């Protein structure tokens, strides 16, 4: 199937190339043409022609840090402090998880992401095979990592993580990839981290890890090990291959320098960090040092959504506020964090993250009929500061239209909601 | 016309009364019943019955500080510092305003507000008769204030502000009220502020004023007058009657104490303050002192929308982050700032701001079918952290349905967009 999108304002996110009066042709899942409409080869034919009506076409959002199945715990215990929230609400509920719960949450969370223009995500959680099945049936793209913590069952869980790689890595026409995961410094020890780093090296995959989310985590690590979480993880080999460090709120300048030197990608989670009052990731400083910074929602338990548009908006606003500089984290930079930089973090920038000929067609279309789209001086600023989720008219992954006119094609939303609400009966107290 | 809304989860915002399985009856523009469905009088009949399908009904949002006509300048010069933005972009464009421009912007901005669940707003700008006409034709509620600054034409502008009161105060069945306005300390002098305060006292109306939006404004005032803007304005009588102080980012503890003592309402504008990197209004401290704090969008020029849902979300998140306390500015408090506290600030709490029998029916209905409404542990938290603008299915003011199923009934959006885009041709450089 070929799809031609015409009459579009295209933010390619490819070296800030912006095309007014643009056209984009999708053939066999890939971008066959992107450019000005007048440059489209004369005999171009398509099975389907979509008039963008002047709307904005851009790469889909890449949610670079989430816990999809925590959609089960959406908003469970809002407005509590982190310790009460984790120990009184989240951990007891997780102990009551049953097989099937995470699959249902996967369907629901993916539907939400497709409605929000997300075309790929990086996940960390348990029951990861259920999440993989949900990704497979939905058509979305994902990089999956099984959360690993020290404990009696560590080797069993690590074997599970390796099996996830064997069974799922580079499956579904490359839509699914697998990474390893160190949950965090405070839930692991020297031995478990070394084992994970070894296995990652053997498999040739990256490592996904929580780093310095809170002040107390960072201070605790200094007490336990005499160094910061970033330095401790580095000493055990976590950053010797590709790595994705989520949160990174309480980094030292030495940590920032380390990440720049080792090419570690950082994932900023402004919604979750603000809601839990964890603090602010030093985004502009990291960018200034040349660190790749991506964006994520974290889990719906602490967010309470999987809406990347909100994160883009918060990243731009919080970047300015925390620097007391209105030119910090400008609109284009925030969009890069949510697209091309996300692709780089996930190691999928060979196939997506920008709109360029030969790349997979992972893209979204914003309709611009609503009042808040007038007047428009700058399309990127408009997407970041003014667009509403309802403006997202189409979400496409590898050339397949997965959401159109606010209807998800590949998930039965009502059934997923019913299944999640059923699960909640045994999860919540 | 009578309207009965059934099967609703009602957040009355009246002393946090929350009704599950609720019904609300509207008769002659007023709330005739609000309570559990089973308590509805048996013979109740209505011209129209709306099944809320379990959705959330609450008072409409009150945008307590905006400049409606600045919708003309939406996003004009994003990501600039305040001085460049004002002097290179905003002021030159304002000098090119023509009659009719502000009316068109009024129509467009009101359409946006109705789609966003806003039922009332407090405005400050020029060409205020055009805004009043737009309010009249749209059915929305507003309190209008003509911006006043020192200069040759001061007495003329003050006479215009008084005439606005004569012509429009308490018109359209009470939907429109009028206040006076001191634009700010830095744009006025002792004499002009005294004149405005005198006239306000004579008319028996409140005063709307910008206070300590930026650090430089506050420091400048200290240099000019030896006291803070709040103290200087107070010394000239601005806070002797009802007053609404917008922004209030750089208040001293003495200023906070003054506002508590004099009953001054503060309007927090988190979106605009973050985007312009102005700083953070000390919301939780003000609330702790007993100050009434409302919420506003500021103009679309610096926001870039008039979307109160975003402000509610930012108020809750920013309140927690700036206090480094996840229990600060909880979801209910953020919603109170956007409803009952807004009504108090605008002096319209005699008719709206809560859902109670005898009050005007100014309300909104959230549909809860979308994936992000499942599971729900707390309806108020859900509205604040997870709801999307598209969930707002109905906006009603004084019992009239002004927006339903994402269609504005009283504004021709396409025509308003065309008129604004036409105006932009002579406004922008």
């Amino acid at each position: 199937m070929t799809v031609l999108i015409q009459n579009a304002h295209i933010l390619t996110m490819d070296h800030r190339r912006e095309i007014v009066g643009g056209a984009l042709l999708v053939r066999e899942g890939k971008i066959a043409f992107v450019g000005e409409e007048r440059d489209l080869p004369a005999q171009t034919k398509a099975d389907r022609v979509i008039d963008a009506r002047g709307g904005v076409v851009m790469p889909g959002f890449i949610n670079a840090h989430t816990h999809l199945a925590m959609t089960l715990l959406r908003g469970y215990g809002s407005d509590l402090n982190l310790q009460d929230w984790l120990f009184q609400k989240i951990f007891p509920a997780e102990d009551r998880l049953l097989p099937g719960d995470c699959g249902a949450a996967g369907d629901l969370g993916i539907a939400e992401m497709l409605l929000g223009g997300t075309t790929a995500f990086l996940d960390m959680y348990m029951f990861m095979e259920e999440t993989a099945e949900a990704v497979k049936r939905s058509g979305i793209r994902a990089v999956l990592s099984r959360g690993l913590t020290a404990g009696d069952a560590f080797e069993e869980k690590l074997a599970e993580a390796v099996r996830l790689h064997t069974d799922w890595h580079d499956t579904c026409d490359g839509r699914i990839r697998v990474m390893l995961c160190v949950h965090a410094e405070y839930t692991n020890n020297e031995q478990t981290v070394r084992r994970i780093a070894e296995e990652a090296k053997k498999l040739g995959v990256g490592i996904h890890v929580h780093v310095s989310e809170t002040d107390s985590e960072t201070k605790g690590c200094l007490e336990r090990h005499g160094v910061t979480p970033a330095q401790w993880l580095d000493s055990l080999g976590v950053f010797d291959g590709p790595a994705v460090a989520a949160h990174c709120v309480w980094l030292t300048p030495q940590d920032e320098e380390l990440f720049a030197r080792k090419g570690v990608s950082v994932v900023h989670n402004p919604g979750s960090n603000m809601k839990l009052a964890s603090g602010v990731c030093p985004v502009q400083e990291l960018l200034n040092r040349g660190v790749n910074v991506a964006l994520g929602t974290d889990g719906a338990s602490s967010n309470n959504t999987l809406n990347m548009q909100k994160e883009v908006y918060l990243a731009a606003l919080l970047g300015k506020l925390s620097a007391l500089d209105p030119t910090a984290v400008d609109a284009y930079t925030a969009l890069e964090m949510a697209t091309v930089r996300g692709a780089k973090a996930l190691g999928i920038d060979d196939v997506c993250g920008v709109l360029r000929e030969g790349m997979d067609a992972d893209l979204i279309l914003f309709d611009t009929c609503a009042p808040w789209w007038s007047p428009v001086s700058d399309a990127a600023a408009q997407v970041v500061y003014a667009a509403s989720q309802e403006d997202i008219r189409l979400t496409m992954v590898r050339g397949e239209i997965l959401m159109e006119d606010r209807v998800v094609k590949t998930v039965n939303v009502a059934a997923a909601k019913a299944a999640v609400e059923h699960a909640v009966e045994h999860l919540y107290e």
Side-chain angles (χ1 to χ4, degrees), chain A:
Chain A
M1 160 126 169
T2 50
V3 179
L4 176 63
I5 303 175
Q6 289 184 306
N7 189 17
H9 187 122
I10 304 177
L11 302 175
T12 66
M13 305 313 294
D14 186 13
H15 300 91
R16 304 204 171 187
R17 180 186 179 206
E18 202 166 326
I19 306 161
V20 181
L24 188 145
L25 181 69
V26 178
R27 186 181 292 137
E28 292 172 13
K30 292 190 184 296
I31 298 169
F33 172 88
V34 54
E36 288 188 42
E37 213 149 332
R38 61 183 178 198
D39 296 330
L40 194 67
Q43 306 84 343
T44 302
K45 277 183 188 162
D47 301 318
R48 172 134 189 241
V49 176
I50 295 171
D51 179 1
R53 300 191 294 258
V56 174
V57 171
M58 61 174 282
F61 295 128
I62 294 176
N63 185 347
H65 178 67
T66 190
H67 312 284
L68 182 65
M70 291 185 89
T71 302
L72 287 164
L73 307 173
R74 185 194 303 281
Y76 187 47
S78 282
D79 302 319
L80 290 178
N81 73 54
L82 186 68
Q83 293 303 308
D84 290 348
W85 178 69
L86 280 176
F87 287 89
Q88 292 172 23
K89 295 284 181 176
I90 299 301
F91 293 158
E94 287 183 340
D95 285 343
R96 293 187 287 267
L97 277 173
L98 294 178
D101 291 350
C102 291
D107 289 337
L108 190 67
I110 290 170
E112 180 180 352
M113 286 200 281
L114 293 173
L115 286 162
T118 293
T119 53
F121 67 100
L122 171 56
D123 206 59
M124 178 200 292
Y125 208 59
M126 306 169 279
F127 295 96
M128 202 44 79
E129 298 70 22
E130 294 188 22
T131 299
E133 292 288 354
V135 171
K136 181 179 178 180
R137 51 185 179 259
S138 72
I140 201 168
R141 187 186 301 275
V143 180
L144 305 176
S145 70
R146 204 278 182 223
L148 291 174
T149 55
D152 290 343
F154 173 77
E155 281 295 334
E156 207 171 290
K157 286 186 213 158
L158 178 58
E160 203 185 291
V162 172
R163 200 160 54 242
L164 187 77
H165 183 267
T166 312
D167 294 346
W168 288 98
H169 184 66
D170 214 14
T171 61
C172 303
D173 298 313
R175 273 199 294 117
I176 299 185
R177 293 185 187 176
V178 173
M179 269 191 192
L180 287 193
C181 165
V182 173
H183 174 270
E185 172 274 330
Y186 63 94
T187 50
N188 276 278
N189 57 44
E190 199 176 307
Q191 196 191 346
T192 59
V193 175
R194 277 199 205 281
R195 284 283 293 122
I196 298 164
E198 268 170 33
E199 288 294 333
K201 195 173 176 187
K202 240 189 272 176
L203 298 173
V205 299
I207 297 178
H208 182 194
V209 54
H210 288 121
V211 178
S212 287
E213 178 175 0
T214 64
D215 190 27
S216 68
E217 167 196 338
T218 310
K219 285 185 180 146
C221 179
L222 281 163
E223 279 172 27
R224 283 184 290 274
H225 305 296
V227 291
T228 63
Q231 288 154 22
W232 185 76
L233 292 163
D234 184 52
S235 73
L236 302 171
V238 172
F239 303 136
D240 291 348
V244 184
H247 298 292
C248 297
V249 171
W250 297 91
L251 297 182
T252 62
Q254 291 73 24
D255 295 342
E256 296 180 14
E257 178 50 37
L258 168 71
F259 286 175
R261 201 172 61 244
K262 291 267 181 140
V264 175
S265 287
V266 164
V267 186
H268 179 36
N269 298 269
S272 175
N273 295 158
M274 291 179 84
K275 185 155 181 286
L276 293 170
S278 303
V280 182
C281 172
V283 173
Q284 190 62 56
E285 289 88 341
L286 287 163
L287 293 171
N288 292 348
R289 286 181 195 270
V291 176
N292 182 50
V293 185
L295 263 182
T297 59
D298 207 359
S301 46
S302 63
N303 186 301
N304 303 343
T305 67
L306 302 172
N307 182 339
M308 281 292 289
Q309 248 191 321
K310 281 160 83 168
E311 303 303 322
V312 170
Y313 178 63
L314 290 175
L317 261 60
L318 193 56
K320 296 174 204 322
L321 180 71
S322 60
L324 284 183
D325 174 5
T327 68
V329 190
D330 66 13
Y332 236 110
T333 301
L335 288 181
E336 284 172 346
M337 290 166 67
T339 56
V340 57
R341 288 178 176 276
K344 194 175 167 202
L346 271 64
I348 56 177
D349 51 330
D350 53 326
V351 290
C352 65
V354 299
L355 303 182
R356 190 196 301 147
E357 285 160 27
M359 299 292 271
D360 282 4
D362 287 20
L363 57 83
I364 56 179
L365 163 57
F366 285 87
D367 195 53
T368 52
C369 294
W372 45 88
W373 281 92
S374 184
V376 175
S377 349
D378 173 340
Q382 194 66 17
V383 169
V384 173
Y385 302 116
S388 180
Q389 181 168 250
E390 68 197 292
D391 302 326
I392 302 175
R393 185 179 141 193
L394 182 143
T395 302
M396 177 186 280
V397 177
R398 286 194 79 254
E400 298 294 322
I401 296 172
L402 303 183
M403 188 282 290
E404 188 168 10
D405 296 332
R406 310 305 297 146
V407 178
V408 179
K409 306 281 187 189
T410 51
V411 181
N412 180 333
V413 173
K417 282 184 72 143
V420 163
E421 280 157 26
H422 179 69
V424 158
E425 289 173 23
H426 63 257
L427 288 174
Y428 289 18
E429 276 189 317

